[in-house]
Structure formats: structure tokens, C-alpha cells
Amino acid sequence: MEKKYYDIAQLRAQVSITQFLTDLGFTPAKRSAGETFYHSMIREGDFTPSFCVNEKMGLWFDHGLGKGGNLFDLAMAMWPELSFQEVLHKIAGRLADVSILSGSLKPLPAENSPVKDSWHKITSITELGGNKSLMEYLDFRGIKDIARDYLKEVRYEVTLKEGKQKTFCAAGWPNEKGGWEIRSASFKGCLGKKGISLIEGASSKLSLFEGFMDFLSWRKTNPSYADTVIVLNSVVNLKEVLPIAAHYAAVDVFFDNDVSGKKASAELISAIPYARDQATAYLDYKDYNEKYMSEHPRPWKERSEILTSQLYKPISGKR
């Protein structure tokens, strides 16, 4: 008897990631700037939350893992004991009407990894300034002027869940593993392999940040700095940083004032006792950039009420 296969393109077009998660009983923790955030369902200890879904692109990204992908990548991560065909069956079983096609099924990569880089294709990397909306967003974050010295305008092509290809634009910079860490008003993630970014400076002092928004905000308030700087781009890269940080006589830590940031700070200071936790300088805020934005507010015509309330509300509820 002829074996039948699911139409993968049609499945992806018909099943949204958020609806898939809702059907499984997962509830969004918040929504911000076109993204839906959850407490991660593919790892333990996510209290932030830091698992985000961009429904427009049909993609998810777990900031705690530094990994992401499409609907099928998520399903494979949730049910690693199942074959790809079995995962498709579980997804399709949630639809009332799914077309079945005869033919060959494209296999997964040899390593059977749930996360692949095939969801994107970088089309150009240029100087900042070509995309007006992106520059308005960077101005809103308070770093437009300094960003030109560090960031690039990255255009990349994505195959959307309905099969169409669309080009997106983001501000980004390279990491040490050849990937590009990108950020725009509607997406935060990595194109390629996740890794740290290092800016060489003094051999005696090191300053550590979680993301480039925080580093650039700090850079604006410390124009004469000489430190070596490492931006983790995700706390998942902390272990990679520890042996490097141990070579510096002074280490300042500017991680986020959330659960994952505090945990990473504690782990680093446990390994390097003389490291100084500088998060007290922005104690009432989630991170350095949020504090900088509250002190230097800038207009942004596309910002939503939800985004504004999150960006300008101190964690403690007071200024």
C-alpha cells in the first residue's frame, strides 16, 4: 500500500504557533511589539518569561537557550522522542481538515537537530541609515547616534508560514561564531550560530553586558571608557565567558535585573569573587537601556501603549 505524507507547507500555513501552544494548555505571559512571550515550555526555570513567538514570521525564539525556529522545530523540541512523521501527525491531529498528499517527505538534517538555520537568508549587510523605521526605533531606544559606530543594517529573507518569502530589516552586529545578533521593533534573535561579541580594550579591566542595547547605552554615558567589553548576547553564553573573565584584574557586571540576569550575575561572582555587580546603578529598572530611556525619553510614532508601559515602568514600581 502506498505510504501517504502530510503536506508540510499547508500544515505550517494552517497551524499558528500561538494556537498550537494554546491547544496544549500554554498561556502567554505578555505581548509586546508584535511578539507573544511565554514561560519556556522546552526548558526548566524560565521565570522571566523569555520564550517569544513572532506570529507574522511564523517563528519562535527561546532567549534562554539562544535557539529558535518554526512550528516543526518547536514540536520536535517538545517531543524529542518522536520521529518527524509522528510529530507531523500530532500537529495535524489538531485540525479538522488536513490535506494528505502522496510523495516523498524531505528528511531532517543528519544530526536530527530541532533547530535549523534554513528559516532565513541574509541578503545584505550595509551601514545604518537606509531604513527610516529602523532608525526611528533606535532613536526611541536612545542609541541612534552611537549605533552607527557599532551596528549594521541587516536585511534578511524569511519564508513565512504560508510559504511566501519576505525581506525584513534589523540592526545587528556579528558575534564571535560568525552569527549576527539582530534587533528591530518587532524581532529579537540571531541569524546563524549564537555566540558572544568581544570589543578589545584594556587588558586589566572587563565589563560584561547581556545585550548590545545595554552596552551602547552604557557607552553613551561613559564616552572615555577603555575597558575590554564582552556582550553575552544571551546568558546561555555565560560559561563561555567565565575562563576569559578570570584573566582580568577587574570585572564589572551589568546584567539584567530579572531572574535570569541575577542568576547569571551570582554564578559569575561565585566563580570570580572580586567581580562587581553594577546592576545596583539601575536597580529600579530591568536593564541599563531601560534606565537610560527613562532618563532620556525619545518619541517613536509606532510605539504601542503596551510597549511604552513596559519600557518606562520601573521594576519596583517607583522612580
Side-chain angles (χ1 to χ4, degrees):
M1 185 174 68
E2 185 180 29
K3 192 172 183 178
K4 295 181 179 180
Y5 298 95
Y6 292 104
D7 182 347
I8 296 178
Q10 186 176 0
L11 269 181
R12 189 182 179 200
Q14 288 186 272
V15 183
S16 72
I17 296 177
T18 52
Q19 186 57 53
F20 173 69
L21 291 174
T22 297
D23 290 346
L24 292 174
F26 296 101
T27 304
K30 66 176 182 177
R31 291 182 173 86
S32 174
E35 293 185 328
T36 305
F37 288 80
Y38 298 80
H39 296 286
S40 180
M41 65 294 302
I42 57 175
R43 63 183 169 89
E44 296 181 356
D46 180 17
F47 304 106
T48 306
S50 56
F51 182 98
C52 69
V53 175
N54 187 304
E55 203 58 70
K56 181 179 180 181
M57 298 170 66
L59 299 171
W60 59 274
F61 194 85
D62 189 322
H63 293 284
L65 290 176
K67 296 180 179 180
N70 59 30
L71 170 68
F72 308 117
D73 299 317
L74 175 58
M76 289 295 292
M78 294 178 68
W79 300 308
E81 73 281 1
L82 301 182
S83 69
F84 189 46
Q85 185 69 22
E86 289 171 329
V87 164
L88 292 181
H89 182 71
K90 286 180 75 72
I91 295 172
R94 300 182 178 279
L95 293 176
D97 180 26
V98 178
S99 298
I100 305 296
L101 300 179
S102 298
S104 59
L105 184 67
K106 185 176 180 180
L108 287 175
E111 67 273 17
N112 201 33
S113 169
V115 178
K116 307 179 287 299
D117 293 334
S118 58
W119 63 270
H120 78 271
K121 177 184 179 182
I122 295 178
T123 57
S124 69
I125 298 173
T126 59
E127 298 298 321
L128 283 174
N131 186 287
K132 182 180 178 181
S133 296
L134 181 60
M135 297 308 292
E136 289 177 348
Y137 172 65
L138 294 176
D139 186 40
F140 174 59
R141 299 302 294 257
I143 61 168
K144 183 178 75 171
D145 51 349
I146 197 71
R148 295 178 184 273
D149 295 334
Y150 294 90
L151 307 182
K152 299 292 184 182
E153 188 172 293
V154 181
R155 292 181 179 272
Y156 58 102
E157 191 175 79
V158 172
T159 301
L160 303 178
K161 61 182 181 181
E162 63 269 22
K164 297 179 181 179
Q165 291 184 327
K166 186 172 182 179
T167 298
F168 294 88
C169 184
W173 73 353
N175 61 43
E176 296 296 307
K177 294 184 178 178
W180 279 85
E181 308 291 337
I182 62 169
R183 189 73 181 266
S184 69
S186 59
F187 186 71
K188 176 183 178 181
C190 179
L191 305 178
K193 292 183 178 180
K194 196 76 176 170
I196 66 171
S197 297
L198 186 148
I199 301 172
E200 293 187 3
S203 59
S204 59
K205 186 177 180 182
L206 175 69
S207 287
L208 297 167
F209 299 85
E210 282 195 39
F212 63 66
M213 290 287 184
D214 297 323
F215 160 62
L216 294 178
S217 302
W218 174 83
R219 172 72 176 80
K220 288 192 68 173
T221 54
N222 295 271
S224 59
Y225 90 101
D227 315 20
T228 289
V229 170
I230 292 180
V231 178
L232 271 63
N233 296 313
S234 171
V235 292
V236 73
N237 294 322
L238 179 63
K239 293 189 184 301
E240 182 180 345
V241 169
L242 292 178
I244 302 174
H247 290 286
Y248 289 82
V251 179
D252 283 346
V253 186
F254 297 86
F255 293 166
D256 292 359
N257 277 319
D258 57 15
V259 174
S260 60
K262 289 182 178 296
K263 181 179 178 181
S265 295
E267 183 177 344
L268 189 141
I269 293 172
S270 176
I272 306 173
Y274 57 85
R276 299 180 298 180
D277 186 358
Q278 299 288 10
T280 53
Y282 44 96
L283 190 60
D284 288 338
Y285 301 86
K286 177 180 178 293
D287 55 38
Y288 202 105
N289 179 247
E290 193 169 284
K291 178 177 183 293
Y292 184 85
M293 289 177 64
S294 72
E295 296 173 346
H296 305 82
R298 301 289 298 165
W300 182 35
K301 65 181 182 181
E302 297 181 3
R303 68 183 184 271
S304 67
E305 293 182 2
I306 295 177
L307 178 63
T308 305
S309 65
Q310 290 174 343
L311 290 174
Y312 289 117
K313 184 179 180 181
I315 288 178
S316 68
K318 61 182 180 180
R319 290 290 179 200

